[in-house]
Amino acid sequence: ELRLVQDPKDTCDSLQVQLGKVLYASGSQDTAIELFTHVLQRNESDSEALREYAKAYVDRKRPNEALRILLRVLVHAPNDTQTRACLSDIVKARGGIDVLFAELGDAANSGPALAFMATLIKDYGAVEQSVTLYYKALAMCPEMTTYVLNLVHTLEVCNRYQEAMELSIKYCKQHAAMTIGTHHSNGQVAALFDGIQDLFDRKLRLPYLEG
């Protein structure tokens, strides 16, 4: 019979973080932060302690430091939902998108990095900020079809339908020879929208492609 043996230090660290969370919630914030600090002195990569430390920075109106820590946590725990949610809350706040660009450093000039962040924060309600990131990612990698598609879907979530339509038509015209299945090309689809300026025009009847 195989048994996983947990390091006693890991158990101790986890208990200290849990105790810190209780103390923080009950108003003993300084004591809680001391506990988180002690854990991080033993293991600077402890995701749970880092996350709680970041939350303390948020409460103290220091979003840059908080986001910097959360980005570190994502490296070790990319699928941690609490970290993702906390990071998204920071980006959603006023000026949050600028904080994100500042803390991303060189990655702020990487299309894949921005697209990853756009997808991450969209799942936690930061949809308008996600649009901004997708636009920047697309500007850096204009041939990435997935960026266009994700941006269009996100614009729809934001009820920015006119913008979504115009972006879709622009893409179809730029890649006119690309076919949809074995029937129609992007160029044919784009041509259906010639002369349509306003998606919300009451006189508009959406075009239909035979076949």
Side-chain angles (χ1 to χ4, degrees):
E1 181 181 358
L2 294 177
R3 294 185 179 182
L4 294 177
V5 179
Q6 188 173 17
D7 190 330
K9 290 185 294 184
D10 293 340
T11 302
C12 179
D13 288 348
S14 180
L15 289 173
Q16 286 206 38
V17 172
Q18 294 304 316
L19 176 59
K21 290 168 67 174
V22 172
L23 289 170
Y24 195 93
S26 64
S28 300
Q29 296 184 351
D30 290 340
T31 303
I33 291 172
E34 286 181 14
L35 286 175
F36 301 148
T37 302
H38 289 159
V39 172
L40 292 172
Q41 287 174 342
R42 288 192 293 270
N43 178 10
E44 63 180 14
S45 299
D46 188 293
S47 297
E48 195 172 16
L50 283 169
R51 185 175 62 242
E52 296 307 317
Y53 210 89
K55 290 179 181 178
Y57 271 128
V58 172
D59 290 341
R60 285 156 176 73
K61 311 299 182 185
R62 296 170 65 178
N64 287 75
E65 290 95 330
L67 196 57
R68 194 176 308 147
I69 292 171
L70 293 170
L71 289 172
R72 280 180 57 193
V73 177
L74 280 179
V75 173
H76 302 288
N79 298 317
D80 184 83
T81 56
Q82 291 187 50
T83 299
R84 286 171 168 242
C86 188
L87 186 151
S88 300
D89 286 341
I90 294 172
V91 177
K92 278 190 292 185
R94 178 175 295 182
I97 196 73
D98 294 326
V99 172
L100 177 63
F101 287 138
E103 295 306 323
L104 282 176
D106 292 340
N109 297 313
S110 165
L114 293 181
F116 169 77
M117 294 305 303
T119 302
L120 186 156
I121 65 174
K122 182 180 73 171
D123 291 340
Y124 293 88
V127 287
E128 291 289 353
Q129 294 78 10
S130 178
V131 166
T132 300
L133 293 178
Y134 275 132
Y135 265 123
K136 287 187 174 294
L138 186 59
M140 297 173 190
C141 306
E143 299 302 314
M144 286 295 292
T145 304
T146 54
Y147 296 178
V148 179
L149 182 61
N150 288 335
L151 176 53
V152 168
H153 286 324
T154 309
L155 288 169
E156 290 174 335
V157 173
C158 297
N159 297 325
R160 292 162 65 172
Y161 301 112
Q162 180 76 24
E163 203 172 335
M165 182 191 75
E166 291 172 356
L167 183 65
S168 300
I169 294 172
K170 178 182 177 180
Y171 178 83
C172 285
K173 288 181 176 180
Q174 290 175 337
H175 302 83
M178 187 181 294
T179 59
I180 301 173
T182 58
H183 299 288
H184 308 293
S185 68
N186 282 353
Q188 288 174 300
V189 174
L192 293 172
F193 289 85
D194 286 346
I196 296 177
Q197 302 297 325
D198 183 1
L199 187 61
F200 296 96
D201 187 341
R202 292 185 176 181
K203 299 179 182 179
L204 170 64
R205 296 187 65 181
L206 289 176
Y208 177 73
L209 195 62
E210 297 286 346

